Amino acid sequence: LVLVLAGLGVVMVASSSIAIAEGLDVGPFYFLTRHVVFLVLGGVLAWGLMRTELRTVEKYSQWLLLLSFLALLAVFLPGIGHTVNGAQRWVNLGVSNFQAVEAVKLMLIIWLASYLVRYRDEIGNRWRALLKPLFMAGAIVAFLLLQPDFGSAALILAITGGMVWLGGARIQHLALMAA
């Protein structure tokens, strides 16, 4: 199924980008070549991540949270951060631009899952156990609102609220915090 979807994506990019690429004088297969290169790089990265032990991921979850904040700060650094349509959300990687919040979403989910497993007995009974993940999500949202990226900020809050609730937090506590 993955190969069928990837193949369909390659066909769609090829059929829709040839005229645009020729109009930009970059060669007819410019966008197709870039798409295939990034598809292969993503496949290699996915293959490597699939073979990573869950214990290893959980062990480094604190570092992933720190890396999330560093990625969100990088968009504001001159020479690294890149502005598109008035929003400063992109990191210039040289060959391509990367929207840092996409990696931050995944890293936050990993950290939050690790946190909820470690504090599963306390998350529904103690405010302190509930406040830490909400504070971290709030700090990430603050960085996103500075870029501004309201859609990703709302998504981060929804993901955090849903995971904390599924992790055992009382709905009354979450409702009080939301209010």
Side-chain angles (χ1 to χ4, degrees), residues 6 22 26 29 33 53-55 57 68 83 88 95 103 113 129 131 149 151 157-159 168 173:
E22 285 180 338
V26 291
F29 301 111
T33 304
E53 288 287 329
L54 191 55
R55 275 179 262 158
V57 174
S68 296
T83 303
Q88 197 164 352
V95 295
L131 289 177
D149 189 353
L157 288 176
I159 288 169
H173 292 165

Side-chain angles (χ1 to χ4, degrees), residues 3 40 48 57 61 71 73 100 103 117 126 135 155:
L3 293 176
V40 169
V57 174
S61 66
L73 283 173
V117 165
R126 294 191 180 169
F135 175 76
L155 184 60

Side-chain angles (χ1 to χ4, degrees), residues 22-176:
E22 285 180 338
L24 295 173
D25 279 334
V26 291
F29 301 111
Y30 174 77
F31 293 110
L32 176 63
T33 304
R34 287 177 54 96
H35 180 75
V36 170
V37 166
F38 285 118
L39 186 64
V40 169
L41 289 173
V44 169
L45 181 64
W47 181 82
L49 289 175
M50 286 184 345
R51 276 141 184 77
T52 304
E53 288 287 329
L54 191 55
R55 275 179 262 158
T56 305
V57 174
E58 192 171 334
K59 180 181 173 183
Y60 293 108
S61 66
Q62 298 288 338
W63 291 103
L64 291 176
L65 183 65
L66 177 63
L67 190 59
S68 296
F69 285 106
L70 293 176
L72 290 174
L73 283 173
V75 300
F76 297 112
L77 296 175
I80 296 174
H82 184 68
T83 303
V84 176
N85 294 330
Q88 197 164 352
R89 303 180 194 157
W90 300 85
V91 174
N92 185 359
L93 298 176
V95 295
S96 180
N97 291 325
F98 176 72
Q99 198 167 4
V101 72
E102 298 304 326
V104 168
K105 289 175 196 173
L106 180 61
M107 290 187 285
L108 177 67
I109 289 170
I110 292 169
W111 175 79
L112 194 51
S114 172
Y115 181 85
L116 292 172
V117 165
R118 285 181 279 131
Y119 293 97
R120 73 177 134 237
D121 297 332
E122 300 174 25
I123 200 77
N125 300 322
R126 294 191 180 169
W127 278 98
R128 186 173 180 204
L130 179 61
L131 289 177
K132 186 173 181 182
L134 297 179
F135 175 76
M136 291 301 172
I140 288 173
V141 165
F143 280 114
L144 291 174
L145 293 178
L146 289 174
Q147 294 179 7
D149 189 353
F150 299 106
S152 293
L155 184 60
I156 292 288
L157 288 176
I159 288 169
T160 302
M163 285 184 69
V164 169
W165 178 64
L166 289 172
R170 294 182 182 171
I171 195 72
Q172 298 92 344
H173 292 165
L174 290 175
L176 184 61

